[in-house]
Amino acid sequence: AAGVIQSPRHLIKEKRETATLKCYPIPRHDTVYWYQQGPGQDPQFLISFYEKMQSDKGSIPDRFSAQQFSDYHSELNMSSLELGDSALYFCASSRGRPAYEQYFGPGTRLTVT
Amino acid sequence: AQSVAQPEDQVNVAEGNPLTVKCTYSVSGNPYLFWYVQYPNRGLQFLLKYITGDNLVKGSYGFEAEFNKSQTSFHLKKPSALVSDSALYFCAVRDGGSSNTGKLIFGQGTTLQVKP
């Protein structure tokens, strides 16, 4: 079965650089969620989109932005990167409202040096 | 505010023995509860969920969980542990209200170590 695809899987950036993370949800899934998992921590919700509109916002820094495109894929744009942004970034997708289980991608490991 | 607590950082169990990973939750409305497993450098894999209905929920890989409303708990269980079950387990909750957008609140995670 098709799963959530994230690219790239690994990314190394320097401080103050920008990064773009991509997420391709499971086909026919209409909602995308972004989570950030710091080392040894639980995943923290960043932002979500339903039918290409932002549906909820969590602890996402102002330096980050995201959107969901017409084909339902989503991109997380991160600017002025800081060392503390080093983390595993997960995308998850779900279908319908109310949404039940979310299916997670493998994550993008971002390292900021 | 929604919250999830996993009181044990690590659970150790011998292979073949039953295992329990504890989870308690707090939500304002009806809870939707989930368990996910994470292997090293991997994504989160869905194990099981409680939405409504029977309090005992069966999931993947022989895992099950019992919803207890009075104790606000959703403990993960397995009758006979395998070494391959060793991983990091997350309990998660979302508010079941219709206006909720579905974001998950995760517990701190419990490392399960199954020894041969």
mmCIF file of all heavy atoms in Angstrom, chain A residues 9 33 35 37 41-43 45 55-56 88 90 97-106 109, chain B residues 32 34 36 38 41-44 46 49 51 88 90 94 100-104 106-109:
data_model
loop_
_atom_site.group_PDB
_atom_site.id
_atom_site.type_symbol
_atom_site.label_atom_id
_atom_site.label_comp_id
_atom_site.label_asym_id
_atom_site.label_seq_id
_atom_site.Cartn_x
_atom_site.Cartn_y
_atom_site.Cartn_z
ATOM 1 N N ARG A 9 15.233 12.847 2.802
ATOM 2 C CA ARG A 9 15.247 12.091 4.045
ATOM 3 C C ARG A 9 16.249 12.677 5.030
ATOM 4 O O ARG A 9 16.054 12.617 6.238
ATOM 5 C CB ARG A 9 15.607 10.636 3.774
ATOM 6 C CG ARG A 9 14.547 9.881 2.986
ATOM 7 C CD ARG A 9 13.258 9.681 3.810
ATOM 8 N NE ARG A 9 13.524 9.087 5.096
ATOM 9 C CZ ARG A 9 13.653 7.783 5.296
ATOM 10 N NH1 ARG A 9 13.543 6.943 4.296
ATOM 11 N NH2 ARG A 9 13.880 7.325 6.519
ATOM 12 N N TYR A 33 -0.439 16.937 8.161
ATOM 13 C CA TYR A 33 0.032 17.471 9.435
ATOM 14 C C TYR A 33 1.559 17.476 9.418
ATOM 15 O O TYR A 33 2.180 16.554 8.892
ATOM 16 C CB TYR A 33 -0.422 16.586 10.600
ATOM 17 C CG TYR A 33 -1.890 16.242 10.627
ATOM 18 C CD1 TYR A 33 -2.389 15.202 9.840
ATOM 19 C CD2 TYR A 33 -2.775 16.903 11.467
ATOM 20 C CE1 TYR A 33 -3.731 14.857 9.870
ATOM 21 C CE2 TYR A 33 -4.118 16.561 11.510
ATOM 22 C CZ TYR A 33 -4.585 15.540 10.704
ATOM 23 O OH TYR A 33 -5.921 15.194 10.746
ATOM 24 N N TYR A 35 4.870 17.636 12.103
ATOM 25 C CA TYR A 35 5.313 17.511 13.483
ATOM 26 C C TYR A 35 6.834 17.633 13.522
ATOM 27 O O TYR A 35 7.534 17.244 12.591
ATOM 28 C CB TYR A 35 4.934 16.148 14.081
ATOM 29 C CG TYR A 35 3.454 15.919 14.256
ATOM 30 C CD1 TYR A 35 2.681 15.429 13.207
ATOM 31 C CD2 TYR A 35 2.836 16.154 15.475
ATOM 32 C CE1 TYR A 35 1.318 15.204 13.369
ATOM 33 C CE2 TYR A 35 1.475 15.924 15.655
ATOM 34 C CZ TYR A 35 0.732 15.455 14.595
ATOM 35 O OH TYR A 35 -0.616 15.230 14.759
ATOM 36 N N GLN A 37 10.144 16.537 15.919
ATOM 37 C CA GLN A 37 10.591 15.708 17.036
ATOM 38 C C GLN A 37 12.061 15.995 17.315
ATOM 39 O O GLN A 37 12.940 15.591 16.548
ATOM 40 C CB GLN A 37 10.381 14.220 16.742
ATOM 41 C CG GLN A 37 10.721 13.323 17.921
ATOM 42 C CD GLN A 37 10.506 11.846 17.619
ATOM 43 O OE1 GLN A 37 10.610 11.408 16.480
ATOM 44 N NE2 GLN A 37 10.201 11.066 18.646
ATOM 45 N N GLN A 41 12.791 13.518 22.315
ATOM 46 C CA GLN A 41 11.527 14.152 22.684
ATOM 47 C C GLN A 41 10.351 13.531 21.942
ATOM 48 O O GLN A 41 10.527 12.759 21.009
ATOM 49 C CB GLN A 41 11.599 15.650 22.394
ATOM 50 C CG GLN A 41 12.670 16.377 23.192
ATOM 51 C CD GLN A 41 12.698 17.859 22.895
ATOM 52 O OE1 GLN A 41 11.872 18.378 22.143
ATOM 53 N NE2 GLN A 41 13.646 18.566 23.486
ATOM 54 N N ASP A 42 9.157 13.883 22.385
ATOM 55 C CA ASP A 42 7.966 13.423 21.682
ATOM 56 C C ASP A 42 7.673 14.379 20.525
ATOM 57 O O ASP A 42 8.097 15.536 20.545
ATOM 58 C CB ASP A 42 6.766 13.351 22.635
ATOM 59 C CG ASP A 42 6.509 14.673 23.330
ATOM 60 O OD1 ASP A 42 7.323 15.052 24.186
ATOM 61 O OD2 ASP A 42 5.485 15.302 23.001
ATOM 62 N N PRO A 43 6.978 13.917 19.518
ATOM 63 C CA PRO A 43 6.624 14.789 18.385
ATOM 64 C C PRO A 43 5.727 15.933 18.833
ATOM 65 O O PRO A 43 4.792 15.745 19.616
ATOM 66 C CB PRO A 43 5.875 13.845 17.434
ATOM 67 C CG PRO A 43 6.310 12.473 17.832
ATOM 68 C CD PRO A 43 6.514 12.533 19.314
ATOM 69 N N PHE A 45 3.281 19.058 17.456
ATOM 70 C CA PHE A 45 2.500 19.499 16.311
ATOM 71 C C PHE A 45 2.929 20.900 15.876
ATOM 72 O O PHE A 45 3.053 21.810 16.701
ATOM 73 C CB PHE A 45 1.014 19.484 16.673
ATOM 74 C CG PHE A 45 0.123 20.115 15.651
ATOM 75 C CD1 PHE A 45 -0.167 19.454 14.468
ATOM 76 C CD2 PHE A 45 -0.427 21.366 15.872
ATOM 77 C CE1 PHE A 45 -0.999 20.028 13.518
ATOM 78 C CE2 PHE A 45 -1.260 21.949 14.933
ATOM 79 C CZ PHE A 45 -1.546 21.291 13.752
ATOM 80 N N SER A 55 -5.605 24.498 8.662
ATOM 81 C CA SER A 55 -6.689 24.131 9.555
ATOM 82 C C SER A 55 -6.331 24.287 11.026
ATOM 83 O O SER A 55 -7.225 24.427 11.863
ATOM 84 C CB SER A 55 -7.139 22.698 9.298
ATOM 85 O OG SER A 55 -6.063 21.799 9.457
ATOM 86 N N ASP A 56 -5.060 24.258 11.341
ATOM 87 C CA ASP A 56 -4.659 24.409 12.731
ATOM 88 C C ASP A 56 -3.180 24.785 12.769
ATOM 89 O O ASP A 56 -2.427 24.491 11.837
ATOM 90 C CB ASP A 56 -4.905 23.113 13.524
ATOM 91 C CG ASP A 56 -5.003 23.335 15.021
ATOM 92 O OD1 ASP A 56 -4.777 24.473 15.488
ATOM 93 O OD2 ASP A 56 -5.289 22.365 15.742
ATOM 94 N N LEU A 88 13.917 15.826 13.787
ATOM 95 C CA LEU A 88 13.248 14.969 12.805
ATOM 96 C C LEU A 88 11.893 15.597 12.524
ATOM 97 O O LEU A 88 11.132 15.875 13.458
ATOM 98 C CB LEU A 88 13.105 13.570 13.400
ATOM 99 C CG LEU A 88 12.796 12.385 12.510
ATOM 100 C CD1 LEU A 88 13.777 12.292 11.354
ATOM 101 C CD2 LEU A 88 12.828 11.118 13.341
ATOM 102 N N PHE A 90 8.313 15.206 10.821
ATOM 103 C CA PHE A 90 7.391 14.221 10.279
ATOM 104 C C PHE A 90 6.224 14.906 9.601
ATOM 105 O O PHE A 90 5.721 15.924 10.064
ATOM 106 C CB PHE A 90 6.814 13.342 11.397
ATOM 107 C CG PHE A 90 7.784 12.370 11.981
ATOM 108 C CD1 PHE A 90 8.232 12.514 13.278
ATOM 109 C CD2 PHE A 90 8.248 11.300 11.235
ATOM 110 C CE1 PHE A 90 9.126 11.611 13.822
ATOM 111 C CE2 PHE A 90 9.142 10.396 11.774
ATOM 112 C CZ PHE A 90 9.580 10.551 13.066
ATOM 113 N N ARG A 97 -13.318 13.989 7.495
ATOM 114 C CA ARG A 97 -13.584 14.738 8.722
ATOM 115 C C ARG A 97 -14.736 14.064 9.463
ATOM 116 O O ARG A 97 -15.778 13.832 8.848
ATOM 117 C CB ARG A 97 -13.963 16.177 8.422
ATOM 118 C CG ARG A 97 -12.796 17.066 8.099
ATOM 119 C CD ARG A 97 -11.936 17.319 9.338
ATOM 120 N NE ARG A 97 -10.821 18.205 9.086
ATOM 121 C CZ ARG A 97 -10.837 19.504 9.335
ATOM 122 N NH1 ARG A 97 -11.917 20.060 9.827
ATOM 123 N NH2 ARG A 97 -9.776 20.233 9.086
ATOM 124 N N PRO A 98 -14.641 13.770 10.756
ATOM 125 C CA PRO A 98 -13.421 13.946 11.523
ATOM 126 C C PRO A 98 -12.373 12.913 11.124
ATOM 127 O O PRO A 98 -12.697 11.814 10.708
ATOM 128 C CB PRO A 98 -13.882 13.713 12.960
ATOM 129 C CG PRO A 98 -15.035 12.786 12.832
ATOM 130 C CD PRO A 98 -15.716 13.161 11.560
ATOM 131 N N ALA A 99 -11.148 13.314 11.240
ATOM 132 C CA ALA A 99 -10.062 12.420 10.872
ATOM 133 C C ALA A 99 -9.766 11.475 12.028
ATOM 134 O O ALA A 99 -9.799 11.872 13.185
ATOM 135 C CB ALA A 99 -8.822 13.223 10.521
ATOM 136 N N TYR A 100 -9.504 10.264 11.742
ATOM 137 C CA TYR A 100 -9.150 9.292 12.750
ATOM 138 C C TYR A 100 -7.649 9.091 12.737
ATOM 139 O O TYR A 100 -6.900 9.998 13.032
ATOM 140 C CB TYR A 100 -9.943 8.005 12.562
ATOM 141 C CG TYR A 100 -11.433 8.207 12.793
ATOM 142 C CD1 TYR A 100 -12.389 7.689 11.928
ATOM 143 C CD2 TYR A 100 -11.883 8.926 13.881
ATOM 144 C CE1 TYR A 100 -13.734 7.884 12.157
ATOM 145 C CE2 TYR A 100 -13.229 9.130 14.115
ATOM 146 C CZ TYR A 100 -14.157 8.606 13.237
ATOM 147 O OH TYR A 100 -15.493 8.806 13.452
ATOM 148 N N GLU A 101 -7.177 7.917 12.409
ATOM 149 C CA GLU A 101 -5.734 7.719 12.519
ATOM 150 C C GLU A 101 -4.983 8.499 11.451
ATOM 151 O O GLU A 101 -5.458 8.701 10.336
ATOM 152 C CB GLU A 101 -5.365 6.236 12.423
ATOM 153 C CG GLU A 101 -5.743 5.558 11.142
ATOM 154 C CD GLU A 101 -7.057 4.842 11.268
ATOM 155 O OE1 GLU A 101 -7.942 5.339 11.974
ATOM 156 O OE2 GLU A 101 -7.200 3.769 10.643
ATOM 157 N N GLN A 102 -3.802 8.952 11.848
ATOM 158 C CA GLN A 102 -2.897 9.626 10.938
ATOM 159 C C GLN A 102 -1.784 8.652 10.574
ATOM 160 O O GLN A 102 -1.300 7.911 11.421
ATOM 161 C CB GLN A 102 -2.300 10.869 11.602
ATOM 162 C CG GLN A 102 -3.334 11.916 11.958
ATOM 163 C CD GLN A 102 -2.752 13.058 12.742
ATOM 164 O OE1 GLN A 102 -1.554 13.340 12.694
ATOM 165 N NE2 GLN A 102 -3.606 13.744 13.485
ATOM 166 N N TYR A 103 -1.388 8.700 9.329
ATOM 167 C CA TYR A 103 -0.307 7.844 8.861
ATOM 168 C C TYR A 103 0.918 8.715 8.633
ATOM 169 O O TYR A 103 0.852 9.710 7.909
ATOM 170 C CB TYR A 103 -0.724 7.106 7.592
ATOM 171 C CG TYR A 103 -1.825 6.113 7.870
ATOM 172 C CD1 TYR A 103 -3.164 6.478 7.764
ATOM 173 C CD2 TYR A 103 -1.526 4.821 8.296
ATOM 174 C CE1 TYR A 103 -4.171 5.570 8.054
ATOM 175 C CE2 TYR A 103 -2.529 3.911 8.583
ATOM 176 C CZ TYR A 103 -3.851 4.300 8.466
ATOM 177 O OH TYR A 103 -4.849 3.418 8.760
ATOM 178 N N PHE A 104 2.004 8.293 9.253
ATOM 179 C CA PHE A 104 3.209 9.112 9.260
ATOM 180 C C PHE A 104 4.187 8.686 8.174
ATOM 181 O O PHE A 104 4.321 7.501 7.857
ATOM 182 C CB PHE A 104 3.903 9.015 10.621
ATOM 183 C CG PHE A 104 3.239 9.837 11.691
ATOM 184 C CD1 PHE A 104 2.059 9.425 12.263
ATOM 185 C CD2 PHE A 104 3.804 11.027 12.099
ATOM 186 C CE1 PHE A 104 1.436 10.192 13.248
ATOM 187 C CE2 PHE A 104 3.196 11.803 13.079
ATOM 188 C CZ PHE A 104 2.010 11.383 13.647
ATOM 189 N N GLY A 105 4.887 9.675 7.655
ATOM 190 C CA GLY A 105 5.991 9.413 6.752
ATOM 191 C C GLY A 105 7.241 9.038 7.534
ATOM 192 O O GLY A 105 7.245 9.076 8.768
ATOM 193 N N PRO A 106 8.323 8.718 6.841
ATOM 194 C CA PRO A 106 9.561 8.297 7.499
ATOM 195 C C PRO A 106 10.315 9.442 8.154
ATOM 196 O O PRO A 106 11.220 9.210 8.942
ATOM 197 C CB PRO A 106 10.372 7.685 6.364
ATOM 198 C CG PRO A 106 9.884 8.396 5.146
ATOM 199 C CD PRO A 106 8.433 8.659 5.374
ATOM 200 N N ARG A 109 15.316 14.171 8.483
ATOM 201 C CA ARG A 109 16.236 14.556 9.564
ATOM 202 C C ARG A 109 17.010 15.786 9.134
ATOM 203 O O ARG A 109 17.814 15.731 8.193
ATOM 204 C CB ARG A 109 17.188 13.421 9.911
ATOM 205 C CG ARG A 109 18.102 13.784 11.097
ATOM 206 C CD ARG A 109 18.860 12.600 11.632
ATOM 207 N NE ARG A 109 17.997 11.588 12.208
ATOM 208 C CZ ARG A 109 17.429 11.657 13.401
ATOM 209 N NH1 ARG A 109 17.633 12.724 14.170
ATOM 210 N NH2 ARG A 109 16.672 10.669 13.855
ATOM 211 N N TYR B 32 -10.179 10.579 21.611
ATOM 212 C CA TYR B 32 -9.747 9.633 20.596
ATOM 213 C C TYR B 32 -8.306 9.287 20.977
ATOM 214 O O TYR B 32 -7.469 10.173 21.096
ATOM 215 C CB TYR B 32 -9.765 10.242 19.201
ATOM 216 C CG TYR B 32 -11.129 10.518 18.613
ATOM 217 C CD1 TYR B 32 -11.261 11.137 17.384
ATOM 218 C CD2 TYR B 32 -12.298 10.157 19.284
ATOM 219 C CE1 TYR B 32 -12.500 11.399 16.826
ATOM 220 C CE2 TYR B 32 -13.538 10.411 18.737
ATOM 221 C CZ TYR B 32 -13.641 11.043 17.516
ATOM 222 O OH TYR B 32 -14.873 11.298 16.970
ATOM 223 N N PHE B 34 -4.701 6.819 20.690
ATOM 224 C CA PHE B 34 -3.889 6.109 19.703
ATOM 225 C C PHE B 34 -2.601 5.619 20.352
ATOM 226 O O PHE B 34 -2.091 6.216 21.293
ATOM 227 C CB PHE B 34 -3.516 7.025 18.539
ATOM 228 C CG PHE B 34 -4.689 7.692 17.872
ATOM 229 C CD1 PHE B 34 -5.226 8.858 18.392
ATOM 230 C CD2 PHE B 34 -5.255 7.148 16.736
ATOM 231 C CE1 PHE B 34 -6.309 9.473 17.794
ATOM 232 C CE2 PHE B 34 -6.338 7.752 16.125
ATOM 233 C CZ PHE B 34 -6.869 8.921 16.661
ATOM 234 N N TYR B 36 1.280 4.537 18.884
ATOM 235 C CA TYR B 36 2.218 4.465 17.768
ATOM 236 C C TYR B 36 3.523 3.851 18.273
ATOM 237 O O TYR B 36 3.881 4.004 19.440
ATOM 238 C CB TYR B 36 2.515 5.846 17.192
ATOM 239 C CG TYR B 36 1.395 6.441 16.367
ATOM 240 C CD1 TYR B 36 0.349 7.133 16.969
ATOM 241 C CD2 TYR B 36 1.390 6.316 14.987
ATOM 242 C CE1 TYR B 36 -0.674 7.691 16.203
ATOM 243 C CE2 TYR B 36 0.375 6.861 14.208
ATOM 244 C CZ TYR B 36 -0.648 7.546 14.828
ATOM 245 O OH TYR B 36 -1.656 8.083 14.067
ATOM 246 N N GLN B 38 7.763 3.510 17.336
ATOM 247 C CA GLN B 38 8.847 4.105 16.557
ATOM 248 C C GLN B 38 10.108 3.285 16.744
ATOM 249 O O GLN B 38 10.607 3.142 17.853
ATOM 250 C CB GLN B 38 9.087 5.554 16.983
ATOM 251 C CG GLN B 38 10.123 6.275 16.132
ATOM 252 C CD GLN B 38 10.283 7.735 16.523
ATOM 253 O OE1 GLN B 38 10.084 8.131 17.662
ATOM 254 N NE2 GLN B 38 10.638 8.570 15.552
ATOM 255 N N ASN B 41 15.469 5.663 14.076
ATOM 256 C CA ASN B 41 15.610 6.351 12.780
ATOM 257 C C ASN B 41 14.475 6.017 11.811
ATOM 258 O O ASN B 41 14.678 6.034 10.591
ATOM 259 C CB ASN B 41 16.963 6.024 12.148
ATOM 260 C CG ASN B 41 18.113 6.464 13.029
ATOM 261 O OD1 ASN B 41 18.124 7.584 13.516
ATOM 262 N ND2 ASN B 41 19.051 5.572 13.264
ATOM 263 N N ARG B 42 13.324 5.733 12.364
ATOM 264 C CA ARG B 42 12.170 5.432 11.507
ATOM 265 C C ARG B 42 11.000 6.330 11.878
ATOM 266 O O ARG B 42 10.998 7.001 12.914
ATOM 267 C CB ARG B 42 11.755 3.960 11.683
ATOM 268 C CG ARG B 42 12.818 2.953 11.350
ATOM 269 C CD ARG B 42 13.007 2.797 9.869
ATOM 270 N NE ARG B 42 11.840 2.261 9.222
ATOM 271 C CZ ARG B 42 11.564 0.960 9.151
ATOM 272 N NH1 ARG B 42 12.347 0.070 9.704
ATOM 273 N NH2 ARG B 42 10.479 0.561 8.510
ATOM 274 N N GLY B 43 9.984 6.304 11.025
ATOM 275 C CA GLY B 43 8.776 7.054 11.312
ATOM 276 C C GLY B 43 7.913 6.362 12.346
ATOM 277 O O GLY B 43 8.252 5.299 12.869
ATOM 278 N N LEU B 44 6.792 6.979 12.643
ATOM 279 C CA LEU B 44 5.842 6.438 13.600
ATOM 280 C C LEU B 44 4.887 5.491 12.877
ATOM 281 O O LEU B 44 4.282 5.855 11.871
ATOM 282 C CB LEU B 44 5.050 7.563 14.244
ATOM 283 C CG LEU B 44 5.868 8.535 15.090
ATOM 284 C CD1 LEU B 44 5.124 9.841 15.267
ATOM 285 C CD2 LEU B 44 6.151 7.904 16.438
ATOM 286 N N PHE B 46 1.442 3.287 13.097
ATOM 287 C CA PHE B 46 0.171 3.196 13.796
ATOM 288 C C PHE B 46 -0.037 1.767 14.289
ATOM 289 O O PHE B 46 0.124 0.801 13.541
ATOM 290 C CB PHE B 46 -0.950 3.611 12.848
ATOM 291 C CG PHE B 46 -2.331 3.340 13.352
ATOM 292 C CD1 PHE B 46 -2.911 4.150 14.304
ATOM 293 C CD2 PHE B 46 -3.064 2.273 12.860
ATOM 294 C CE1 PHE B 46 -4.191 3.907 14.758
ATOM 295 C CE2 PHE B 46 -4.335 2.013 13.308
ATOM 296 C CZ PHE B 46 -4.906 2.838 14.257
ATOM 297 N N LYS B 49 -6.204 2.166 17.731
ATOM 298 C CA LYS B 49 -6.919 3.370 18.142
ATOM 299 C C LYS B 49 -8.173 2.992 18.908
ATOM 300 O O LYS B 49 -8.724 1.898 18.732
ATOM 301 C CB LYS B 49 -7.307 4.218 16.925
ATOM 302 C CG LYS B 49 -8.378 3.593 16.034
ATOM 303 C CD LYS B 49 -8.739 4.518 14.900
ATOM 304 C CE LYS B 49 -9.897 3.954 14.063
ATOM 305 N NZ LYS B 49 -9.504 2.814 13.238
ATOM 306 N N ILE B 51 -11.847 4.889 19.402
ATOM 307 C CA ILE B 51 -12.722 6.005 19.067
ATOM 308 C C ILE B 51 -14.001 5.900 19.892
ATOM 309 O O ILE B 51 -14.411 6.813 20.584
ATOM 310 C CB ILE B 51 -13.053 6.037 17.566
ATOM 311 C CG1 ILE B 51 -11.755 6.067 16.732
ATOM 312 C CG2 ILE B 51 -13.953 7.220 17.218
ATOM 313 C CD1 ILE B 51 -10.908 7.281 16.959
ATOM 314 N N LEU B 88 10.371 2.281 20.751
ATOM 315 C CA LEU B 88 9.828 3.417 21.503
ATOM 316 C C LEU B 88 8.335 3.512 21.207
ATOM 317 O O LEU B 88 7.939 3.525 20.039
ATOM 318 C CB LEU B 88 10.552 4.695 21.073
ATOM 319 C CG LEU B 88 10.179 6.014 21.749
ATOM 320 C CD1 LEU B 88 10.398 5.929 23.256
ATOM 321 C CD2 LEU B 88 11.034 7.138 21.159
ATOM 322 N N PHE B 90 4.646 5.458 21.708
ATOM 323 C CA PHE B 90 4.002 6.726 22.021
ATOM 324 C C PHE B 90 2.496 6.542 22.108
ATOM 325 O O PHE B 90 1.876 5.965 21.209
ATOM 326 C CB PHE B 90 4.285 7.775 20.943
ATOM 327 C CG PHE B 90 5.686 8.327 20.954
ATOM 328 C CD1 PHE B 90 6.621 7.878 20.046
ATOM 329 C CD2 PHE B 90 6.042 9.303 21.869
ATOM 330 C CE1 PHE B 90 7.912 8.389 20.050
ATOM 331 C CE2 PHE B 90 7.327 9.822 21.878
ATOM 332 C CZ PHE B 90 8.260 9.357 20.963
ATOM 333 N N ARG B 94 -6.402 12.931 20.873
ATOM 334 C CA ARG B 94 -6.988 14.120 20.279
ATOM 335 C C ARG B 94 -8.411 14.242 20.801
ATOM 336 O O ARG B 94 -9.038 13.244 21.159
ATOM 337 C CB ARG B 94 -6.977 14.079 18.759
ATOM 338 C CG ARG B 94 -7.677 12.897 18.161
ATOM 339 C CD ARG B 94 -8.096 13.147 16.775
ATOM 340 N NE ARG B 94 -9.266 14.042 16.736
ATOM 341 C CZ ARG B 94 -10.083 14.148 15.712
ATOM 342 N NH1 ARG B 94 -9.861 13.428 14.626
ATOM 343 N NH2 ARG B 94 -11.092 14.972 15.730
ATOM 344 N N ASN B 100 -12.675 19.793 16.165
ATOM 345 C CA ASN B 100 -11.243 19.551 16.321
ATOM 346 C C ASN B 100 -10.607 19.217 14.988
ATOM 347 O O ASN B 100 -11.177 18.513 14.173
ATOM 348 C CB ASN B 100 -11.021 18.423 17.316
ATOM 349 C CG ASN B 100 -9.558 18.225 17.652
ATOM 350 O OD1 ASN B 100 -8.853 17.496 16.950
ATOM 351 N ND2 ASN B 100 -9.101 18.888 18.660
ATOM 352 N N THR B 101 -9.438 19.736 14.786
ATOM 353 C CA THR B 101 -8.786 19.573 13.494
ATOM 354 C C THR B 101 -7.961 18.303 13.398
ATOM 355 O O THR B 101 -7.375 18.044 12.362
ATOM 356 C CB THR B 101 -7.888 20.774 13.221
ATOM 357 O OG1 THR B 101 -6.991 20.922 14.333
ATOM 358 C CG2 THR B 101 -8.713 22.039 13.067
ATOM 359 N N GLY B 102 -7.865 17.569 14.474
ATOM 360 C CA GLY B 102 -7.217 16.275 14.400
ATOM 361 C C GLY B 102 -5.798 16.223 14.858
ATOM 362 O O GLY B 102 -5.175 15.176 14.816
ATOM 363 N N LYS B 103 -5.225 17.328 15.304
ATOM 364 C CA LYS B 103 -3.832 17.278 15.726
ATOM 365 C C LYS B 103 -3.709 16.346 16.928
ATOM 366 O O LYS B 103 -4.580 16.270 17.786
ATOM 367 C CB LYS B 103 -3.328 18.671 16.092
ATOM 368 C CG LYS B 103 -3.942 19.252 17.338
ATOM 369 C CD LYS B 103 -3.400 20.634 17.617
ATOM 370 C CE LYS B 103 -4.041 21.213 18.872
ATOM 371 N NZ LYS B 103 -3.654 22.615 19.089
ATOM 372 N N LEU B 104 -2.605 15.648 16.954
ATOM 373 C CA LEU B 104 -2.340 14.706 18.021
ATOM 374 C C LEU B 104 -1.439 15.326 19.078
ATOM 375 O O LEU B 104 -0.498 16.042 18.759
ATOM 376 C CB LEU B 104 -1.673 13.445 17.477
ATOM 377 C CG LEU B 104 -2.508 12.575 16.537
ATOM 378 C CD1 LEU B 104 -1.665 11.427 15.998
ATOM 379 C CD2 LEU B 104 -3.737 12.048 17.252
ATOM 380 N N PHE B 106 1.059 14.035 21.935
ATOM 381 C CA PHE B 106 1.776 12.803 22.258
ATOM 382 C C PHE B 106 2.252 12.806 23.705
ATOM 383 O O PHE B 106 2.544 13.858 24.291
ATOM 384 C CB PHE B 106 2.998 12.648 21.353
ATOM 385 C CG PHE B 106 2.671 12.269 19.945
ATOM 386 C CD1 PHE B 106 2.385 13.229 18.991
ATOM 387 C CD2 PHE B 106 2.638 10.934 19.566
ATOM 388 C CE1 PHE B 106 2.078 12.880 17.684
ATOM 389 C CE2 PHE B 106 2.334 10.569 18.262
ATOM 390 C CZ PHE B 106 2.045 11.546 17.330
ATOM 391 N N GLY B 107 2.353 11.607 24.260
ATOM 392 C CA GLY B 107 3.036 11.432 25.524
ATOM 393 C C GLY B 107 4.536 11.481 25.298
ATOM 394 O O GLY B 107 5.026 11.623 24.175
ATOM 395 N N GLN B 108 5.268 11.338 26.381
ATOM 396 C CA GLN B 108 6.720 11.489 26.332
ATOM 397 C C GLN B 108 7.409 10.285 25.706
ATOM 398 O O GLN B 108 8.594 10.351 25.366
ATOM 399 C CB GLN B 108 7.273 11.692 27.747
ATOM 400 C CG GLN B 108 6.573 12.790 28.539
ATOM 401 C CD GLN B 108 5.437 12.250 29.394
ATOM 402 O OE1 GLN B 108 4.550 11.542 28.906
ATOM 403 N NE2 GLN B 108 5.456 12.582 30.674
ATOM 404 N N GLY B 109 6.685 9.199 25.565
ATOM 405 C CA GLY B 109 7.267 7.997 25.000
ATOM 406 C C GLY B 109 7.797 7.060 26.068
ATOM 407 O O GLY B 109 8.302 7.486 27.106
#
